[in-house]
Amino acid sequence: MSAGPLVVTYPLTRRSRAIVAEELGGTAEAIYLVDLAPADRAHALGRAGAVLSHDTSKELRPDEILLIRNARLLQFTAAGVDWVPTRDLPRELPVAANKGGGAEPMSEHIVALALAAAKRLFIEHAKLKHGEFNQGSANRMLRGGVCGILGFGNVGVATARLMRAFGMKIHAINRRGASDEPTDWIATADLLDEMLRVADVLVISAALTTATEGLIGARELDLMKENAILINVARGEIIDEGALSTPILSPIRIFSPASTRGGWSRCGTAASRWITRFSTCRT
């Protein structure tokens, strides 16, 4: 009995299609919905052995969702799919996220943001655009500092390896309070305050759960060093957005996505004169 084709619900470049074909190795046919006429989509989805998708709510019509119920797997490309209405999917359909798939590029992005803040790139670039060439303000070294990582999974570990190359000490928090990856300090969230007090760079890469939603609020931000750098590559809701508009007596540099709950997304909000916030929007 044939396993059925792999049905890809979103556009892929020629190079990406070649990679898919190489990985399949002739074991299954790859069908791309964007190549099909509307009348042919239902037949392809109905015989799918597996489905590869970014967001089924946008790539499949409501009447097409049930057609994939007999597939052996629905594989999402994102590591986190809390923004996808999975409750609308057939209950019998196995669903998987791409956990850790973007760990290395995300860790490089984290390092880029840390360097941008430490070296005042955004600030000095803005001044340079107005004709001011500032050679007097000191920037910061990462070497010798502490990189605190909240959420020590694939992204956290990849980030630790890069930050260690810059000479930073690695402090980490995960659910076990232990890891096979070398650290200078590791604990559970019960000791979060200790890490916040010493972190020169705080990276949030934890999953959004009932335990982590709103975990970083005004009290936690106030525990941090006055010149700390906070980089949130997880969901925006882990940081209490209201706390970002609360007067905090420290110039923390914050990189964080805006909240996306409830179908809304915004950037650049809740900035105060005590916090310089650089937002990375996710839509």
Side-chain angles (χ1 to χ4, degrees), residues 80-99:
V81 293
D82 53 285
W83 42 273
V84 178
T86 53
R87 65 174 63 89
D88 297 334
L89 296 171
R91 290 183 176 273
E92 63 270 32
L93 177 64
V95 176
N98 189 19
K99 183 179 179 182

Side-chain angles (χ1 to χ4, degrees), residues 146-249:
V146 171
C147 178
I149 303 175
L150 174 58
F152 206 54
N154 292 288
V155 172
V157 168
T159 300
R161 291 171 182 171
L162 294 181
M163 290 300 197
R164 193 178 296 114
F166 280 91
M168 297 199 80
K169 300 179 181 68
I170 304 300
H171 289 206
I173 283 180
N174 63 10
R175 283 177 287 187
R176 294 190 298 121
S179 175
D180 293 334
E181 182 69 18
T183 59
D184 297 282
W185 180 95
I186 189 167
T188 64
D190 294 339
L191 297 180
L192 174 61
D193 287 1
E194 291 189 22
M195 188 171 77
L196 293 177
R197 290 188 179 99
V198 302
D200 297 286
V201 177
L202 177 65
V203 177
I204 301 177
S205 53
L208 177 63
T209 66
T210 54
T212 60
E213 183 171 5
L215 183 61
I216 304 297
R219 187 191 74 85
E220 288 73 26
L221 291 172
D222 203 33
L223 290 175
M224 297 176 67
K225 294 181 178 181
E226 66 175 18
N227 61 348
I229 298 167
L230 194 164
I231 302 170
N232 179 19
V233 294
R235 295 294 184 253
E237 290 86 354
I238 292 178
I239 299 178
D240 176 13
E241 187 160 294
L244 297 180
S245 57
T246 300
I248 298 171
L249 303 179

Side-chain angles (χ1 to χ4, degrees), residues 122-133:
F122 291 106
I123 296 169
E124 300 306 336
H125 179 65
K127 290 180 178 180
L128 194 60
K129 286 196 297 184
H130 293 91
E132 181 182 348
F133 182 36

Side-chain angles (χ1 to χ4, degrees), residues 44-64:
L45 291 168
R47 65 189 188 94
V51 179
L52 182 63
S53 179
H54 276 320
D55 184 349
T56 49
S57 67
K58 295 179 180 179
E59 295 153 7
L60 298 181
R61 299 190 296 266
D63 61 313
E64 293 177 328

